[in-house]
Amino acid sequence: MVAVFAVVALAAAVSSSGIAYWLNRDAVLKRTQDTALADFRTSLDRNITALPLDPNCAELQGTANLIAATGLRYDVLLTSPSCAVSSNPQFSPTTVPTALQQQVDTPCERCTTAPNQYHLFWQRVSIDGTPYLIGGTKVLPDGPTAYMFKSLDDERRDMDSLAWSLGIATLLALVGAALLAQGAAATVLRPVARLAEAARQLGAGNLATRLDVTGQDELAELSRTFNHTAAALEEQVAELSAREHASRRFVADMSHELRTPLTAMTAVTDILEDEADSLDPMIEPAVRLVVSETRRLTELVENLMEVTRFDAGTAKVVRDEVDIADLITSTIDARAWLDAVELDAPRGIVVPVDPRRIDVVLANLIGNALKHGGSPVRVRTRVDEATDELVVEVADGGPGIPEDVLPHVFDRFFKADASRRRSEGSGLGLSIAMENARIHGGTISAANAVDGAGAVFTLRLPMTPPPTQEGGDAK
């Protein structure tokens, strides 16, 4: 804004000063020129008639000195075929511009009053750095030629003084414009900057941000609107947060309350499963169904409690230095998957992770590959030197994941008939796996193999512990 004001003020001041300078310059020079030429013409008419028809050099000199003795302070040069005299030795016929001499020596052929008469011509030139007005005319066809040299040095000094005055005025206008711009910035731009800062704070989550409102102008009205919007947003967010907190508390309380009866039910179903073979064949299918659904319900409750911990930010990471090859082998062995999984994991890759949580991640990825993909299931580990990350790839030999399903495979409770037709899970496994990877500072991505043979889930974990994240690290 300061720059715009300064440019506009500078352009206006320079334009005005330039116009004023040239108008004054033309007026001063024209006035001086007209006065000097008129006086020169009058002096010629008055003094040249006293000369004889064929004056000698002494007579011309006397006349030149007499004409130059006027109060307008100009010098006179008189030339004739026999000699050239001047009231000032500085001036001679060579001082007169050639173009002016040609005009003076040429009679006017189009004059209506007296054909072939001679006129008074003038020209402004610089002699030795001093500006001069030179006027010349031929007195008679056979008489002398007279030239006047009027110094314009006084007028130049006046114009220089005027130029300095206009320059100072331009500078003052520029300073005034800058001060005006500063004042405008204080009243317009600073409130806008405060509004922008408040908007950034509001976007960063500080919903208590408000603006001080003063005045009744448009900016004050905008500030009031911002405050009203921020207050309404804070109220809505608070209401939504309360509802979300109540929902999480409900799920947590419900899951906690279900654990006690589920523990008893699990104990009973374990006994029933052991005795299933000795039960009536008509009752055995029902018993096994109860056992299966009880275990599924128990797993769902455990998953819901884990999700609640993630949402509440209370999930803890207990890190330990673990050889990833040993951890994957332990995960596969504990679930009796050794014969169904091809493992390519060189030993010696040690990472700081929570073994229990990474076991959950690996179990989910490998289990999904076995259930919904198909053999062969391959697990391969490597270290990405460029990003300093551990990379675990779980690939299956199934039909792959439909493109419309890929963006949603980590969503909670998401199931796709095409890719999970035989699934009996809750739809929380991959979501929990993603959260476990996230609190380690890692990620999980899902894609189809380049050759189209199956899906590939890629787990990436940092080789060095990231800064403490939400929930914190516990050791």
Side-chain angles (χ1 to χ4, degrees), residues 107 278 392 470:
S278 62
V392 180
E470 182 181 358

Side-chain angles (χ1 to χ4, degrees), residues 371-403:
K371 288 181 182 179
H372 313 303
S375 298
V377 174
R378 297 175 296 275
V379 180
R380 187 171 75 93
T381 65
R382 60 184 175 87
V383 175
D384 190 340
E385 300 291 346
T387 59
D388 192 29
E389 290 179 324
L390 168 69
V391 180
V392 180
E393 295 178 349
V394 179
D396 62 55
I401 305 174
E403 293 297 329

Side-chain angles (χ1 to χ4, degrees), residues 60-94:
L60 288 176
Q61 183 68 58
T63 302
N65 292 336
L66 186 62
I67 296 174
T70 63
L72 294 183
R73 295 182 303 168
Y74 54 78
D75 295 300
V76 176
L77 169 68
L78 295 178
T79 65
S80 67
S82 59
C83 62
V85 296
S86 173
S87 61
N88 187 341
Q90 177 185 357
F91 305 109
S92 64
T94 58

Side-chain angles (χ1 to χ4, degrees), residues 40-69:
F40 179 56
R41 184 192 303 273
T42 302
S43 295
L44 280 178
D45 291 341
R46 185 173 58 249
N47 295 296
I48 205 72
T49 55
L51 286 175
L53 294 178
D54 189 13
N56 56 35
C57 293
E59 292 171 335
L60 288 176
Q61 183 68 58
T63 302
N65 292 336
L66 186 62
I67 296 174

Side-chain angles (χ1 to χ4, degrees), residues 78-112:
L78 295 178
T79 65
S80 67
S82 59
C83 62
V85 296
S86 173
S87 61
N88 187 341
Q90 177 185 357
F91 305 109
S92 64
T94 58
T95 312
V96 181
T98 303
L100 181 60
Q101 292 185 31
Q102 292 176 351
Q103 287 181 312
V104 169
D105 293 337
T106 302
C108 179
E109 297 180 354
R110 298 182 180 180
C111 295
T112 57

Side-chain angles (χ1 to χ4, degrees), residues 437-452:
R438 184 186 67 81
I439 64 175
H440 278 81
T443 60
I444 304 177
S445 60
N448 289 315
V450 178
D451 56 3

Side-chain angles (χ1 to χ4, degrees), residues 241-407:
S241 298
R243 291 181 181 179
E244 184 180 6
H245 178 73
S247 176
R248 291 177 180 175
R249 183 63 181 268
F250 172 75
V251 173
D253 292 345
M254 181 188 67
S255 302
H256 181 74
E257 293 299 326
L258 286 175
R259 294 187 72 180
T260 300
L262 281 175
T263 302
M265 291 173 62
T266 301
V268 173
T269 55
D270 288 343
I271 297 174
L272 289 176
E273 187 178 24
D274 292 339
E275 300 294 333
D277 293 336
S278 62
L279 295 176
D280 188 300
M282 298 295 293
I283 301 176
E284 180 186 357
V287 171
R288 294 192 181 278
L289 179 61
V290 170
V291 171
S292 174
E293 292 302 317
T294 301
R295 289 176 176 171
R296 182 182 177 193
L297 181 59
T298 302
E299 181 183 359
L300 175 60
V301 171
E302 293 295 333
N303 286 340
L304 286 174
M305 293 187 68
E306 186 72 0
V307 168
T308 302
R309 294 189 193 99
F310 285 126
D311 290 343
T314 59
K316 302 294 183 180
V317 177
V318 183
R319 294 185 183 273
D320 195 7
E321 298 290 337
V322 178
D323 190 314
I324 193 62
D326 293 340
L327 181 58
I328 297 175
T329 302
S330 174
T331 300
I332 296 173
D333 185 40
R335 293 161 179 81
W337 291 340
L338 286 175
D339 296 335
V341 178
E342 299 177 7
L343 179 60
D344 179 12
R347 294 185 179 276
I349 303 178
V350 179
V351 289
V353 296
D354 185 331
R356 182 185 68 83
R357 293 190 177 278
I358 298 302
D359 175 78
V360 172
V361 175
L362 295 172
N364 270 288
L365 297 181
I366 298 173
N368 275 332
L370 290 171
K371 288 181 182 179
H372 313 303
S375 298
V377 174
R378 297 175 296 275
V379 180
R380 187 171 75 93
T381 65
R382 60 184 175 87
V383 175
D384 190 340
E385 300 291 346
T387 59
D388 192 29
E389 290 179 324
L390 168 69
V391 180
V392 180
E393 295 178 349
V394 179
D396 62 55
I401 305 174
E403 293 297 329
D404 59 331
V405 174
L406 274 175

